[in-house]
Amino acid sequence: MTEKENLTPSTRIKLLLVDDEEGFVNVIANRMSKRGIDATKALSGSDALKAIRKQDFDLAVVDLKMQEMDGIELLRILKKMIPEMPVIVLTGHGSERAAEDGMEYGAYDYLTKPCEMDELMEKIHEALARGR
Amino acid sequence: MTDSRYKKLQRIYVVVILLVSFTPLFLLGGIMYYQVSKTYRTKIEEQIRYRVISQADTIDLFLKERTAILAAIADTVSFNQIINEKTLLKTFELINLRAGAFVDLGVIDQTGQHRAYVGPYDLKGLNYYNQPWFGEVMAKGLYVSDVFTGFRAFPHFIIAIRRQEDKNSWILRATIDPDIFAAIVRSAQIGKTGDAFLVNKEGLFQTTPRFSGGILGKSDIDPTAYGGLTTINEEINSKGEKRLTAGRWLKNKTWLLIVSQDVSEEMGSLLKTRNQEIAIILMGSILIILTTVITTRYTVSKLKNADARMNELNAQLLQSDKLAALGKMAAGVAHEINNPLAVILQKTGWMEDLLEDEAFQKSKEIEEYRVSLKKIEEHVERARKVVHNMLGFARKMEPRLEDVDVNQTLKQTISLLENYARLNNIELRAMLSADIPIIASDQSQLQQVFLNIISNAIDAIGRDGLVEVKSAVNHSTIDVTISDNGPGIPEEQQKSIFDPFFTTKQTGKGTGLGLWITYNIIEKLGGSISFHSETGKGTTFTVKIPKVPPTEK
């Protein structure tokens, strides 16, 4: 067990991870767990909204392209429900235009897939530091 | 539109404009000429009518005076008195003094015998009994003859008065001076072509006309065409000239005064006006035709140019539509590839995370694992770049900022092209500044830029030449210059070289997109590209890349 995994639940970061690519969600959640983040996995927009009702999150990472509910749509709802919660968007588009759209709707920042874990972690910590 | 259709359009324009311009011009000209000539003609007719009336009155008065004076003498003297030569001479001198124009004076008895005579001819003793006028005067008492030659064999006319004295009659007869009479008649003629003369009921000249014909000759005048009052006719004479002829019968009803005038002389000023009008219309027409042809040509050529420009734009639009579709497809494909790549990358990352666990630390092969995972990550990165480059055609693609060593990029590019250059006996010479800093830019896009420019330079030279690549650092940019000693870019092509689909290469050899993409990449990277070319000396491209420090990533 690493140092970060031993953190008490209250000091660990509670993160909502939304992406319809199950393999991606699983591995990211595992890797985050090793880095002091409890990631709640949601495979769709509606899953994400259910999770939000059950629990408070420090932060959300949302994929922009999903089958059921578009990431942008989810982002708008999240921003209405919990405006203070930072949202980082991910995009698999070669173009970063969709991500820029996300920024317009209040996303904290964006990353293009595939991205390095370190990059993602950096953004997460940045966002939380900014929020505090 | 084809050239022939533009020509047809031009013809239609010209015809329509000319029709619209000429119709009112000619109509107006025609109507004006018709109205003026009508007015003019009326004026001329009035003039000639007035002249014939007033001159007829003058001649009537002349005859009336002569007749009255002869009648007065006949009424006051007796036959015996008048046949006295002295009395007759005195009377003759007296009437010539008072009235004039008498040539001679004679007394004829009822048997036709010329009993007394004063005048230049030797007529005394002649017998007039068988002369036509003798019968007339014996019957009517007063007779003004037509012109005749008579005994003196010279054209003249006479006034004869019969006097009844008891049972006998005698006749006082005078000859009128034909020259004086003719002068009175002729005074009605005007201008160079005007004529005035008398004809009798048979159309024979009673005075000498100015032109064509002599006294007692047959005239062209048909007396039956002239009615009771003044008549104006237009006649064409034997010479084919159109003459306006006014005729008026004298009071004796035997002579017709004719005043005639050549129409063309009187209408001369009108003809002058007409010629001026025709000249003005002609000049106007030439002006209209010239203006129409020139402006139409200009307009149609403008239209042609505008059409050509529009077609060009349409073609460009079509091409950019194609590109947009290509970009859209590439974006869709990119998404489908990027997602699995993301999973692979995270899985390798997860494996790297796990390798940090104590259980794995003891493994002898741990380094092998680590190297393999790094390799996987490198290849994921490679695949990601391929996808990213695939989007190169999509214009909206943003550059990916990374640490770039411009010199290194140039060296890599040159090594890629070295073989190609050597095959064509072209030297690639790099003169790179050692002070070039690492900057934040897009290496693969910069490489594409250098590749495009250097390979264009090689292609431009063809065989045997030199391409020099220099790098230098400036205040805010890194400047890369690429010079060749090829033939240079013709001046007329210089403004087009950055246009999409512009190529000087053979069909199928170049897409015409190389420099366009280059231009767009440099613009997106915040830099600039320019060139200087001299025909026969070569071309130098200068690329200025913004010196963005890597920390601004």
Side-chain angles (χ1 to χ4, degrees):
Chain A
M1 288 287 245
T2 63
E3 195 187 326
K4 279 181 180 171
E5 280 174 285
N6 292 333
L7 291 172
T8 54
S10 59
T11 54
R12 285 174 70 85
I13 298 164
K14 291 191 285 292
L15 183 141
L16 177 62
L17 181 61
V18 193
D19 195 328
D20 59 355
E21 187 82 42
E22 201 176 348
F24 184 73
V25 178
N26 287 337
V27 70
I28 287 281
N30 285 339
R31 296 192 75 190
M32 281 181 168
S33 173
K34 273 189 168 292
R35 288 165 173 77
I37 298 174
D38 285 337
T40 302
K41 296 176 273 186
L43 292 174
S44 68
S46 48
D47 277 2
L49 293 177
K50 273 181 211 156
I52 283 282
R53 277 186 218 110
K54 282 187 199 151
Q55 196 193 329
D56 289 340
F57 292 98
D58 298 319
L59 185 99
V61 174
V62 176
D63 184 40
L64 282 182
K65 189 165 181 184
M66 290 184 293
Q67 294 292 326
E68 197 183 304
M69 185 192 288
D70 195 69
I72 293 282
E73 188 61 31
L74 177 63
L75 172 64
R76 284 171 56 190
I77 296 168
L78 288 179
K79 277 286 147 190
K80 267 187 197 160
M81 288 170 72
I82 322 155
E84 70 277 7
M85 180 179 72
V87 178
I88 294 171
V89 294
L90 293 176
T91 170
H93 291 286
S95 157
E96 293 172 18
R97 221 157 134 210
E100 279 162 10
D101 286 350
M103 299 293 288
E104 271 178 37
Y105 286 108
Y108 172 74
D109 208 342
Y110 67 85
L111 282 171
T112 51
K113 282 184 185 178
C115 62
E116 295 286 346
M117 194 64 195
D118 294 347
E119 255 183 300
L120 180 58
M121 288 305 294
E122 204 176 301
K123 298 268 189 231
I124 288 169
H125 287 298
E126 247 178 55
L128 290 175
R130 190 76 53 93
R132 267 174 209 133
Chain B
M1 252 203 287
T2 58
D3 266 12
S4 67
R5 290 187 64 187
Y6 284 111
K7 284 206 177 120
K8 195 176 162 193
L9 186 72
Q10 192 173 321
R11 272 202 299 277
I12 292 171
Y13 275 179
V14 168
V15 168
V16 169
I17 294 174
L18 289 186
L19 266 180
V20 169
S21 314
F22 281 143
T23 309
L25 185 72
F26 287 142
L27 218 61
L28 197 71
I31 289 172
M32 267 174 66
Y33 178 73
Y34 174 74
Q35 288 296 350
V36 168
S37 67
K38 206 171 130 185
T39 312
Y40 213 80
R41 176 64 180 255
T42 311
K43 199 186 104 192
I44 291 169
E45 280 186 14
E46 282 311 308
Q47 266 181 4
I48 202 167
R49 182 191 301 276
Y50 169 76
R51 193 164 281 272
V52 79
I53 290 171
S54 66
Q55 202 60 23
D57 287 349
T58 307
I59 297 166
D60 277 334
L61 191 67
F62 175 88
L63 291 174
K64 195 178 169 187
E65 270 176 14
R66 301 310 173 278
T67 309
I69 207 163
L70 287 177
I73 292 165
D75 283 345
T76 48
V77 295
S78 67
F79 181 72
N80 288 329
Q81 282 174 313
I82 202 77
I83 55 167
N84 180 314
E85 294 278 331
K86 278 183 182 171
T87 312
L88 192 64
L89 180 64
K90 189 143 180 82
T91 308
F92 176 66
E93 282 167 356
L94 199 70
I95 58 173
N96 259 336
L97 184 74
R98 298 292 177 208
F102 291 103
V103 176
D104 61 10
L105 190 65
V107 181
I108 294 127
D109 67 18
Q110 62 187 3
T111 63
Q113 201 63 35
H114 207 173
R115 297 288 295 272
Y117 173 77
V118 184
Y121 300 103
D122 186 20
L123 300 174
K124 194 179 169 187
L126 289 174
N127 193 296
Y128 289 104
Y129 192 82
N130 292 322
Q131 290 288 318
W133 64 266
F134 183 77
E136 291 275 351
V137 74
M138 287 307 279
K140 292 178 182 166
L142 165 66
Y143 180 65
V144 178
S145 76
D146 272 4
V147 173
F148 66 105
T149 41
F151 287 119
R152 68 191 77 177
F154 187 80
H156 65 286
F157 78 93
I158 55 151
I159 300 173
I161 307 281
R162 178 173 58 85
R163 166 81 194 278
Q164 190 68 39
E165 203 175 322
D166 302 329
K167 287 178 181 171
N168 296 322
S169 299
W170 55 275
I171 292 164
L172 185 62
R173 194 205 71 150
T175 305
I176 301 298
D177 187 333
D179 290 339
I180 293 176
F181 186 68
I184 294 168
V185 172
R186 226 178 285 130
S187 69
Q189 72 194 26
I190 31 167
K192 290 178 192 158
T193 60
D195 204 349
F197 51 83
L198 290 173
V199 293
N200 66 5
K201 283 179 177 169
E202 283 78 45
L204 300 175
F205 285 118
Q206 299 298 296
T207 59
T208 310
R210 192 175 181 184
F211 310 106
S212 62
I215 194 156
L216 288 177
K218 180 77 182 153
S219 73
D220 296 331
I221 304 295
D222 172 15
T224 57
Y226 295 85
L229 293 168
T230 309
T231 307
I232 294 174
N233 286 328
E234 197 173 273
E235 295 190 349
I236 293 167
N237 69 5
S238 49
K239 287 181 190 164
E241 294 161 343
K242 204 188 254 185
R243 294 183 75 87
L244 201 61
T245 307
R248 187 176 171 90
W249 289 99
L250 297 185
K251 290 216 169 96
N252 63 15
K253 303 287 179 202
T254 57
W255 286 344
L256 177 65
L257 174 65
I258 295 289
V259 175
S260 81
Q261 186 73 44
D262 189 338
V263 175
S264 61
E265 188 192 347
E266 274 303 299
M267 303 287 269
S269 53
L270 180 72
L271 289 179
K272 204 172 151 194
T273 309
R274 187 190 68 182
N275 290 344
Q276 280 172 352
E277 195 187 308
I278 289 173
I280 289 170
I281 289 179
L282 210 69
M283 260 159 49
S285 302
I286 291 169
L287 219 64
I288 289 172
I289 291 171
L290 277 179
T291 314
T292 305
V293 169
I294 290 169
T295 50
T296 305
R297 247 186 220 174
Y298 179 75
T299 311
V300 170
S301 82
K302 278 268 168 201
L303 188 76
K304 201 170 158 184
N305 286 346
D307 282 354
R309 180 96 194 103
M310 208 164 77
N311 286 341
E312 205 176 292
L313 282 178
N314 279 341
Q316 281 181 14
L317 210 65
L318 198 71
Q319 285 300 343
S320 52
D321 274 358
K322 278 185 196 165
L323 279 184
L326 194 70
K328 213 169 179 177
M329 199 186 77
V333 172
H335 182 257
E336 290 314 308
I337 295 171
N338 278 341
N339 267 335
L341 284 181
V343 177
I344 294 166
L345 195 66
Q346 292 311 322
K347 289 286 185 194
T348 52
W350 177 233
M351 282 191 262
E352 279 172 337
D353 287 352
L354 293 179
L355 282 181
E356 300 303 317
D357 284 359
E358 279 172 41
F360 290 102
Q361 293 289 335
K362 288 166 192 163
S363 168
K364 284 177 194 166
E365 316 288 354
I366 189 159
E367 248 346 275
E368 275 299 313
Y369 282 120
R370 279 196 181 126
V371 170
S372 297
L373 289 173
K374 269 280 166 258
K375 282 275 178 221
I376 295 173
E377 279 170 11
E378 271 174 33
H379 285 275
V380 166
E381 180 60 15
R382 202 176 121 195
R384 191 198 59 75
K385 275 195 172 178
V386 168
V387 172
H388 201 72
N389 287 342
M390 196 173 70
L391 290 165
F393 283 117
R395 297 164 89 179
K396 300 293 179 192
M397 195 195 73
E398 294 302 317
R400 186 183 162 86
L401 292 184
E402 60 197 335
D403 293 355
V404 176
D405 180 341
V406 174
N407 276 352
Q408 194 57 38
T409 311
L410 282 171
K411 279 179 199 161
Q412 280 175 7
T413 313
I414 288 169
S415 71
L416 277 173
L417 290 167
E418 225 151 29
N419 220 17
Y420 178 52
R422 201 179 305 121
L423 278 174
N424 294 301
N425 199 26
I426 291 166
E427 187 190 344
L428 287 183
R429 191 185 293 162
M431 298 161 83
L432 308 177
S433 161
D435 306 327
I436 306 292
I438 302 291
I439 54 164
S441 194
D442 188 314
Q443 178 167 4
S444 43
Q445 290 202 348
L446 274 184
Q447 186 157 6
Q448 195 182 349
V449 166
F450 300 145
L451 201 70
N452 281 342
I453 300 174
I454 299 172
S455 64
N456 272 353
I458 295 170
D459 289 342
I461 295 170
R463 276 197 75 80
D464 307 326
L466 171 69
V467 178
E468 270 188 337
V469 181
K470 289 180 195 165
S471 66
V473 66
N474 226 321
H475 174 63
S476 62
T477 56
I478 290 171
D479 297 353
V480 176
T481 54
I482 296 158
S483 322
D484 67 64
N485 60 356
I489 304 163
E491 205 163 316
E492 66 273 13
Q493 292 179 0
Q494 290 193 3
K495 64 178 188 336
S496 315
I497 65 161
F498 292 120
D499 291 352
F501 309 108
F502 176 83
T503 181
T504 57
K505 295 177 185 172
Q506 287 176 330
T507 314
K509 291 262 169 89
T511 58
L513 286 172
L515 280 178
W516 179 64
I517 288 173
T518 300
Y519 184 88
N520 281 296
I521 288 173
I522 292 296
E523 205 171 47
K524 265 182 260 161
L525 290 173
S528 67
I529 181 166
S530 60
F531 70 96
H532 175 79
S533 187
E534 262 182 80
T535 315
K537 288 193 175 173
T539 306
T540 300
F541 274 88
T542 304
V543 178
K544 288 178 180 289
I545 308 155
K547 206 164 72 183
V548 184
T551 46
E552 281 186 23
K553 206 186 336 183

